[in-house]
Amino acid sequence: LQYKDKRPVRYIRERFSRDEVSVIWEHQDDPYYQTILMLIYSGVRINELLALKKSDVNIDEQYFSIPKSKTEAGVRDVPIADKVLPFFKSWLVKYAVSEYLISTPAGGKFGYKNYYRNYYTNRLEVLGVDHTPHCCRHTFVSELTEAKIDPRVIKTIVGHSGGFSTTEKVYMHISMQTFLDAVNLIP
């Protein structure tokens, strides 16, 4: 942690432990615990999940598309792990009037602060867990790394392009099945 104070705006984030994830699974009937699991098993940023439209979800082929992102690599298709597929299906029919997959009880688009303060934080406080939504992303990457998934597969799923050679950027095409196989390794 010798560089910790050099970038004071950066927070030290941790991953969810497997025990913490297990405790969240015990509450999977609550739709907002489901959203936390959806984040952990997809590796997307919280704002990407909250902006996800139902029309961008392909249940039959088990992926969703992120059509807008802060980077070019962030525009991508993300696999839906078998474990959380039922949650995506449930949210697709929930609040039928909403165009957004994850929406407020009234069917509106969630703002980050509203979701974070009123749903995410409250759910984790009850469990005695203290992690930011970005820790879900850390958990996802850590689990795939521990499963020895090719780092290029991980980077593609989470929308990072750093470290790709020109050859990889131009010629590498990874199948959705490869991505699905990877995310299904997360315990």
Side-chain angles (χ1 to χ4, degrees):
L1 296 175
Q2 65 180 348
Y3 301 108
K4 182 178 119 218
D5 296 329
K6 302 229 189 257
R7 298 177 83 182
V9 296
R10 297 280 183 199
Y11 298 100
I12 297 174
R13 294 188 177 105
E14 297 177 0
R15 66 185 278 178
F16 284 78
S17 72
R18 288 187 178 165
D19 288 341
E20 290 169 332
V21 174
S22 292
V23 170
I24 296 169
W25 274 107
E26 292 173 12
H27 300 277
Q28 67 180 296
D29 292 336
D30 180 307
Y32 296 103
Y33 283 110
Q34 292 173 7
T35 62
I36 297 168
L37 292 166
M38 292 162 77
L39 288 167
I40 290 171
Y41 285 80
S42 68
V44 296
R45 295 172 182 92
I46 182 61
N47 286 328
E48 292 172 331
L49 184 65
L50 296 179
L52 187 62
K53 294 184 177 178
K54 291 177 179 178
S55 60
D56 294 322
V57 178
N58 185 326
I59 284 296
D60 295 334
E61 294 185 36
Q62 216 166 314
Y63 73 89
F64 59 91
S65 299
I66 304 290
K68 296 179 187 173
S69 183
K70 63 181 191 175
T71 66
E72 183 180 344
V75 176
R76 65 202 187 278
D77 292 334
V78 179
I80 301 172
D82 293 346
K83 289 182 177 182
V84 295
L85 183 62
F87 305 153
F88 278 84
K89 288 179 178 179
S90 173
W91 277 96
L92 278 172
V93 296
K94 193 178 203 63
Y95 311 120
V97 297
S98 180
E99 67 180 312
Y100 294 97
L101 180 69
I102 308 297
S103 60
T104 65
K109 183 179 187 291
F110 259 118
Y112 172 83
K113 287 181 182 177
N114 179 13
Y115 172 81
Y116 180 74
R117 288 182 186 154
N118 297 318
Y119 298 91
Y120 181 90
T121 303
N122 291 347
R123 296 308 190 280
L124 291 183
E125 280 178 1
V126 167
L127 304 180
V129 176
D130 183 25
H131 292 298
T132 68
H134 203 71
C135 294
C136 298
R137 198 164 156 85
H138 284 254
T139 305
F140 177 83
V141 171
S142 297
E143 289 291 350
L144 290 183
T145 300
E146 288 181 3
K148 304 207 182 324
I149 297 300
D150 185 323
R152 295 170 295 189
V153 170
I154 299 170
K155 288 177 189 178
T156 303
I157 294 171
V158 298
H160 287 175
S161 63
F164 283 125
S165 69
T166 300
T167 302
E168 290 168 334
K169 286 180 185 176
V170 173
Y171 296 103
M172 185 176 69
H173 304 284
I174 302 170
S175 72
M176 183 55 64
Q177 189 59 54
T178 299
F179 295 141
L180 282 167
D181 291 346
V183 299
N184 284 329
L185 291 173
I186 299 173

